[in-house]
Structure formats: structure tokens, C-alpha cells
Amino acid sequence: MRKTTTSTGAAQRGGGIPAQPGPRDTTDAVLAADSEPQAVIPGAGPAARPGERATVRLREDGPEEAPRYAPEWLQLREPADAAARAQELLDPLRIRLANLPGRHGGLVVHDLGCGTGSMGRWLAPRLDGPQHWILHDRDPYLLHFAAVASPRAAADGSRVTVETRRGDVARLTPDALLGASLVTASALLDVLTREEIDTLAAACTGAGCPALLTLSVVGRVDLTPADALDAEITEAFNAHQRRTGLLGPDALTVAAEAFAEHGATVRVHPSHWRLGPDQRELTAQWLRGWVGAAVEQRPELQPHADRYLQERLEACAAGELEVVVHHSDLLALSRPAGGAS
């Protein structure tokens, strides 16, 4: 496997690879079905060096730090994300939003690590009433894309407006969310640490606003047909996600406990990617990144992983591979605060 230089001009969140940090300067090339090396799209593969995080983090970084997620990856995964998100959590969310103090002024939604804005495109048209979305991301190109492509109307035809805020969520406090009706994020929890998740839970509950946090990986992947190496690749990938103190597949449980400890009512529902012949391009990119991260974690897997990936990509190209990447969505309903709207 040779190295190929990849330029990443844009930045989130990603399971299996949905929540995996993307490469910065280089990424392992992996074999495509035609045996030609093909680079992983930035954001779909392993981090280039230890300590890298997702697009939005609950810490401060240098202002010149490069983004990690290519818009091509975010756009490629958007249909699968939309199909996977748990519709079952929308009714309890709508009920809580309808009963928030000051709701007559409309909803104020903070979207953390908005990327290209896919969460807003999915959620805003499913909620009633005027909405103002505040989009947070470190990448100015992604913020521009998200703002331009944002929905303009709510479910009942009310107006939807947006503003953008560039930068990491360095000190997320209840004051930072003053006036928030809802906090959302997609594929974010699994690239946070325990301390960061507790900070997020404390901020949301302190502000009295619910949080809808979708598409967190839970450490399980099902491939059909099965292969003897499936479990070993999965285990190595999960270990890769836990490097440098990140929670990876443990994040959902930690987040549920953190929000509950801060007094929120927590609901969790599965939100799996189900990838078949109609999602071959996404499946192929996911495979390259998933296997690449496993090999980065355990280099001794390389010889067997090369064979495995080649066979999987050939099956994918032939429409003979089905993949279920297990995620879950979390809805935390905090007790409304007096100043929440």
C-alpha cells in the first residue's frame, strides 16, 4: 500500500466512518475493485496523527488548525443519514418544544458541527413554527454551503432563517446557549471525551433546552455475506476510535448517563445505516475508511486486510454486499429554565 497525498479543503462528525475524524495531509490509498489505488475521501478515513478531533470540539484550538472533513464525504453520506435518523424521537421533541416558555417567538436551534447543514435540511421541515438556526463549524466553506443550502420553510410553512458562527465550541456553557430552544448535532458524540460530553450535557441542561444528538456509532457492523475477518476488523476499528481518550462506541452510553445525571429525561433509539446495491459509492468509501482505520490501529492486519478489502469492494461493485452500520440517536429532554425560549 503506497501513500497518496490528499488535500482537504473542508471539514464533521461521522459511524463506522460516520463519526471518524478524517485525514489532514495524507491518507492511506486502498485498492478499488479494479485493483487501482484509490484515496479515501477526507472524512471517511482514519486520522493522520494522534490527537485529532472532529470539526467541532469542546476545547480551544489554534485559529489556523486545518479542517478535517471534505464536503464530498458529507454530501455522499447525507441520504443515508437522513434515512437512518430516528423518526420516533420527533414526537416527544415536538411536544417539549411546544411547551417551552416563550415559544411564541419561534425556535432558536444551535447546530453543533453543522458541516454542510444536513441536520437542518432534515429537521427544520419536520418542525412547526418560525425557526432561527445558528450553525457552528470551524470551516468557512462548509458554513457558507450550509447557509446557502438551508431550508427556508418549516413544516407549517413558517419562515426558517440561519446565521453562521465560525470556530470550535471552546467553552460551551449555559450562557452560550441563552435563549436556545434546541441543540442538535450529528455524528459528534463518538469523537468527544468523557469530560467534553459532560460539558455538553451540563450546558444543555443548564440552559433548559432539549438536545437531539443523532448518528452515534455503537461499535457494531453487520456485513452480508459474512467473512471470518469481520469481527477482527470491527474490533480494531473500535479500538482506533477510542485512541487519545475519545469515547468512540462508548459515547452513547456515557452521554445518556451524563444527561440523566444532570436531570434530563433521556430517550435512545437505533438509527442504523442500511447500505445495499443502491448505495455502492458510499459503501465503497465507508469500507476503505473502515478497513484503513483498523489497519492503522493494528498494522499486523495489513496482509489479510488487503485481501479482505479487495473482495469486499468487488462484492460491493457487483451489488452483492449489504452492510448495516449500527448507530443510535439520543434525545435529552431537560427541565425548561426560566430564561429559555
Side-chain angles (χ1 to χ4, degrees), residues 8 194 210 228 258 268 272-273 310 332:
T8 160
R194 184 177 296 271
V268 174
H272 307 328
W273 271 8
Q310 178 68 20

Side-chain angles (χ1 to χ4, degrees), residues 9-11 67 69-72 75 115-116 137-148 166:
Y69 289 85
E72 293 84 359
Q75 291 175 275
T116 57
D137 206 287
R138 68 169 59 177
D139 189 306
Y141 174 81
L142 291 183
L143 285 172
H144 174 76
F145 187 105
V148 169
R166 184 184 177 190

